[in-house]
Amino acid sequence: MPPLKAVTLTHVRYQKGDQLGHFLAWVSLVPVFISLGGFVSHFIFRRELQGMFFALGLIVSQFVNEFIKTSVQQARPETCALLEMCDSHGWPSSHSQYMFFFAIYYTLLTYRGISLFENKFLVNFLSWSLALLTMYSRVYLGYHTVAQVFAGAALGIFLGAVWFWFVNSILACYFPAMEESKFGRMFYIKDTSHIPNVLKFEYDSARAARKNMASKCN
């Protein structure tokens, strides 16, 4: 019978009794939380083209990561035996690449004025802090070497910046056509990147609609 292999999406190990390791194990799951909790809920409730292409960029980045890992085939550190991860490659770190792609892309979005939050410093500080913590967690928990996480971080920053330029300099010209397409109208796909303060715009629109409804009831 062939050996069994676990699905490692949320399979993170740490040394029993190590409180820091326990914390960092949760930190290393941040990419999963962002993907499932962030982008899936974004599509369900907001359906913004910027958010969709942000998510698509992260997916493309991970395909690039897998291609490089398969091509280079650099082994993980010796601790991979305890983690049952020696059958996978370690360079570059996909977790670091994901988080640094996310951090640079989100930072560029906020400084272009495309964000749901007004406090740019706070949200960018949070995204970069999580990226650095995730990078540290992969080394601390024994999944990667220092060189592997730095390679992932550098590649993530590069791909995130390139993807941001591609989306906002090339694809953004086609956003109106995407909104007006059959698919866009069917699923209420929209682009609000031209609105300076989306939350205020939606808030004012909701209040105006409520007042209009109230006037009809009187």
Side-chain angles (χ1 to χ4, degrees):
M1 181 178 178
L4 299 178
K5 179 173 173 57
V7 175
T8 57
L9 182 64
T10 60
H11 187 65
V12 184
R13 292 186 173 184
Y14 64 96
Q15 191 171 29
K16 186 176 180 180
D18 182 358
Q19 295 300 317
L20 177 59
H22 188 193
F23 168 72
L24 292 175
W26 281 103
V27 168
S28 69
L29 295 178
V30 168
V32 178
F33 299 146
I34 291 175
S35 298
L36 299 181
F39 287 110
V40 171
S41 62
H42 179 277
F43 178 79
I44 294 173
F45 296 109
R46 301 203 59 83
R47 307 187 190 189
E48 296 270 357
L49 283 167
Q50 280 285 351
M52 292 179 190
F53 280 107
F54 192 171
L56 179 61
L58 284 164
I59 294 171
V60 171
S61 172
Q62 292 307 294
F63 274 110
V64 172
N65 179 275
E66 192 60 34
F67 174 77
I68 295 174
K69 275 184 176 178
T70 304
S71 301
V72 177
Q73 297 187 358
Q74 185 180 105
R76 292 178 182 270
E78 295 180 358
T79 47
C80 67
L82 292 173
L83 301 169
E84 298 179 353
M85 293 288 290
C86 292
D87 57 342
S88 63
H89 307 300
W91 192 94
S93 164
S94 59
H95 282 70
S96 294
Q97 184 174 323
Y98 183 105
M99 288 304 300
F100 279 86
F101 183 111
F102 179 89
I104 189 63
Y105 195 100
Y106 193 78
T107 298
L108 292 171
L109 273 181
T110 57
Y111 282 96
R112 195 171 183 267
I114 307 171
S115 176
L116 291 175
F117 306 99
E118 293 186 17
N119 193 324
K120 297 177 183 179
F121 174 79
L122 182 61
V123 294
N124 288 322
F125 176 79
L126 178 62
S127 64
W128 286 101
S129 296
L130 286 173
L132 289 168
L133 275 172
T134 300
M135 182 171 71
Y136 177 70
S137 75
R138 302 308 287 174
V139 176
Y140 184 90
L141 296 172
Y143 286 88
H144 290 286
T145 64
V146 172
Q148 289 169 354
V149 295
F150 271 99
L155 186 57
I157 291 173
F158 172 75
L159 291 176
V162 170
W163 186 256
F164 180 86
W165 172 85
F166 176 67
V167 170
N168 291 279
S169 298
I170 307 297
L171 292 182
C173 299
Y174 301 96
F175 280 5
M178 294 178 193
E179 281 183 310
E180 295 302 321
S181 67
K182 185 177 181 180
F183 176 85
R185 294 174 69 85
M186 181 184 299
F187 291 98
Y188 304 111
I189 305 300
K190 65 183 183 294
D191 171 41
T192 59
S193 58
H194 56 286
I195 300 173
N197 190 328
V198 177
L199 279 181
K200 185 178 186 304
F201 174 81
E202 293 180 348
Y203 175 73
D204 291 341
S205 298
R207 289 190 65 201
R210 173 65 66 186
K211 288 179 181 178
N212 185 49
M213 183 180 294
S215 65
K216 291 180 180 179
C217 295
N218 292 331

